[in-house]
Amino acid sequence: MTIATKRQYESLTEEQAIVYAKKLGLFSDELELECSEIGDGNLNYVFRIRDPKNGKGIIIKQALPYAKVVGESWPLTLKRAKIEASALKKHGEFAAGLVPEVYAIDEELAITVMEDLSRLTIAREGLICLESYPKLSTDIGEYLAQTLFHTSDFALHPFEKKKLVSEFSNPELCKITEDLIFTDPFFDYETNDFESSLRVDVEAIWSNELLKLEVAKLKKSFLTEAEALLHGDLHTGSIFASEMETKVIDPEFAFYGPIGFDVGLFLANLIFQTITREGESRVVIFEHIEKTWEVFSSKFSELWKKEAVESYKDTKGFETYVLDKIFQDAIGFAGCELIRRTIGLAHVKDLDRIVDEEQRILAKKQALQIGELFILNRKEISSIQSVIELLEELQK
Ligand code: SR1
Ligand code: MG
């Protein structure tokens, strides 16, 4: 892997991205390359550079010194590019094939050069178009188990684990999550964004002290429980998919946090699809929800039995306690994600694209209802099957 030399930060143009790729030696000088900026996320530029003659390409991802979604008034650390590239590499050690290959890192220009995945589709976009991704939940269940188990105290020497905790300290990006997922949507704060016809439901959330107490507990877990190296933003827009392949991208929010957070975010983003679909196509998503948890928990359990280094690993009840806690946390975090993507700053296309206002508001009310229910009842929801029964009941 190349580590490029020092120079001052400047954001690249498409032409400069081509020059940059050639300087890295990834293409020969005489080639006529094509480049387009394809980033549709909230924070970064993503340049796709390809040789039109053979279709071979690379991705140059560059962090901007501010949040693209808001503009220059919201400065944001460039260090996130290094965190993202390092997390891709660390997670790739355990989930090879489920993350893109990193070719080069450039800390000064906040650039990661990586495998071109444009043969795949962003899972959110594909799911919205009812594309079929038969491997999505098995792959994500496997990715979650491998990355989260292997970076936890259950698999690592305590010195190694604490070294990683410090390497992946990511305070600025964590602060975004603390604010946008756990705080702002539950108060009358300026960052929130919702249709006026949701105001009654939103005000009910702001004045629900019981709900706020449970969200405060979940926020405390996020702030304090350094269990494993999380992806930190595992929604369906952070996943590339096809019928044959799944790749997890964009771990710029990576840090050491509670294992249930990654699991819960992914489940919540599948739930948006259960809200917008009907009939057989909704059943497919219920199956993905069930399979994600089943693959994750059985793989985690298998790794525990084979590889755990914890002295208490065989103590009766401990493994079950750990998995039950992850499940409860995941349901609670999923609840927060459902609410914040509906009334907070950063929405999801699954709901916002519904053109008919009445239908859109109904879908959003359902997301809020499921979110509240998950947060308040996470300790009573005992299995993934009961999650599905609950969703089926609410969506009758
Ligand atoms: C200002 S960033 C808004 C959201 O986009 C990212 O993908 C994260 O989900 C973040 O909360
Ligand atoms: Mg992202």
Side-chain angles (χ1 to χ4, degrees):
M1 186 175 62
T2 317
I3 307 269
T5 47
K6 275 192 184 279
R7 81 217 73 113
Q8 248 205 321
Y9 178 87
E10 57 173 344
S11 59
L12 296 184
T13 60
E14 291 177 348
E15 292 71 32
Q16 287 168 330
I18 293 182
V19 175
Y20 187 87
K22 287 185 173 173
K23 270 201 189 141
L24 282 178
L26 295 169
F27 298 96
S28 53
D29 272 348
E30 66 284 359
L31 288 179
E32 294 259 344
L33 300 175
E34 288 176 355
C35 177
S36 41
E37 201 281 308
I38 55 168
D40 65 352
N42 293 323
L43 303 176
N44 309 294
Y45 278 152
V46 180
F47 299 98
R48 180 178 182 227
I49 297 165
R50 67 188 275 277
D51 176 352
K53 291 216 174 91
N54 60 15
K56 281 199 182 142
I58 58 155
I59 292 295
I60 294 184
K61 179 167 176 180
Q62 184 174 40
L64 292 167
Y66 53 87
K68 199 169 85 179
V69 66
V70 175
E72 295 190 27
S73 62
W74 186 340
L76 208 52
T77 177
L78 293 172
K79 282 193 205 128
R80 66 189 197 273
K82 170 80 186 318
I83 293 265
E84 170 168 345
S86 309
L88 283 175
K89 281 156 62 61
K90 180 50 72 186
H91 286 160
E93 285 175 28
F94 313 112
L98 294 174
V99 295
E101 197 180 331
V102 175
Y103 301 140
I105 301 174
D106 183 330
E107 280 189 54
E108 279 65 41
L109 292 184
I111 278 175
T112 309
V113 183
M114 62 189 128
E115 185 184 352
D116 180 17
L117 299 173
S118 49
R119 63 183 179 280
L120 311 178
T121 310
I122 287 291
R124 187 185 306 286
E125 302 295 329
L127 289 169
I128 287 172
C129 300
L130 303 181
E131 289 294 328
S132 151
Y133 297 128
K135 295 184 84 239
L136 182 66
S137 41
T138 12
D139 283 348
I140 296 299
E142 172 83 18
Y143 164 86
L144 288 166
Q146 293 289 357
T147 59
L148 297 171
F149 176 83
H150 282 114
T151 58
S152 76
D153 281 298
F154 306 126
L156 295 175
H157 185 282
F159 294 171
E160 172 63 8
K161 191 261 184 162
K162 286 172 185 72
K163 190 166 157 259
L164 288 173
V165 173
S166 109
E167 268 173 46
F168 284 95
S169 161
N170 196 0
E172 292 192 36
L173 280 277
C174 284
K175 174 79 165 64
I176 293 180
T177 302
E178 289 148 24
D179 292 344
L180 296 189
I181 300 191
F182 294 107
T183 310
D184 301 10
F186 301 93
F187 293 87
D188 185 1
Y189 285 174
E190 264 186 10
T191 50
N192 292 323
D193 174 18
F194 54 86
E195 288 92 340
S196 55
S197 27
L198 283 175
R199 179 153 282 275
V200 175
D201 307 73
V202 175
E203 284 180 353
I205 289 177
W206 293 343
S207 61
N208 187 337
E209 289 300 315
L210 222 58
L211 179 72
K212 286 166 85 165
L213 172 61
E214 294 310 312
V215 176
K217 292 180 193 170
L218 288 158
K219 181 178 177 184
K220 178 173 174 289
S221 299
F222 183 84
L223 288 165
T224 59
E225 293 176 18
E227 291 182 333
L229 178 63
L230 308 188
H231 175 284
D233 194 25
L234 191 60
H235 55 85
T236 46
S238 299
I239 299 168
F240 266 116
S242 73
E243 285 211 1
M244 318 285 292
E245 278 181 286
T246 312
K247 301 264 186 192
V248 177
I249 59 165
D250 269 6
E252 65 201 311
F253 284 76
F255 84 112
Y256 260 80
I259 291 177
F261 187 75
D262 275 359
V263 181
L265 250 59
F266 180 63
L267 294 179
N269 281 272
L270 288 178
I271 290 171
F272 288 120
Q273 279 297 303
T274 72
I275 294 174
T276 58
R277 291 182 181 210
E278 284 179 352
E280 195 42 45
S281 71
R282 179 153 66 192
V283 174
V284 172
I285 304 296
F286 287 144
E287 286 166 1
H288 276 317
I289 291 173
E290 192 168 351
K291 196 160 263 174
T292 302
W293 177 257
E294 272 169 5
V295 172
F296 165 74
S297 54
S298 57
K299 191 75 208 179
F300 193 92
S301 185
E302 186 188 318
L303 293 169
W304 178 288
K305 288 183 180 71
K306 281 195 199 145
E307 295 181 37
V309 293
E310 169 58 57
S311 304
Y312 287 100
K313 73 178 247 198
D314 295 321
T315 299
K316 201 161 177 269
F318 186 46
E319 185 198 336
T320 310
Y321 163 81
V322 168
L323 275 165
D324 286 353
K325 162 84 166 60
I326 295 173
F327 184 72
Q328 271 176 24
D329 288 352
I331 299 303
F333 293 135
C336 297
E337 172 76 353
L338 284 160
I339 292 177
R340 75 95 170 209
R341 293 288 189 189
T342 307
I343 62 171
L345 175 94
H347 286 203
V348 287
K349 203 169 164 188
D350 313 52
L351 300 184
D352 276 357
R353 67 183 278 276
I354 306 173
V355 183
D356 182 88
E357 161 133 29
E358 204 181 315
Q359 269 185 28
R360 188 175 66 251
I361 296 301
L362 267 177
K364 291 193 174 187
K365 280 176 188 266
Q366 212 171 82
L368 295 179
Q369 193 194 0
I370 301 168
E372 280 186 57
L373 218 135
F374 276 13
I375 293 167
L376 289 170
N377 298 295
R378 65 191 187 283
K379 297 208 168 114
E380 286 75 50
I381 303 174
S382 56
S383 67
I384 198 70
Q385 288 77 19
S386 16
V387 170
I388 291 166
E389 279 160 27
L390 210 122
L391 293 172
E392 278 174 328
E393 188 57 36
L394 289 169
Q395 294 168 2
K396 260 186 189 158

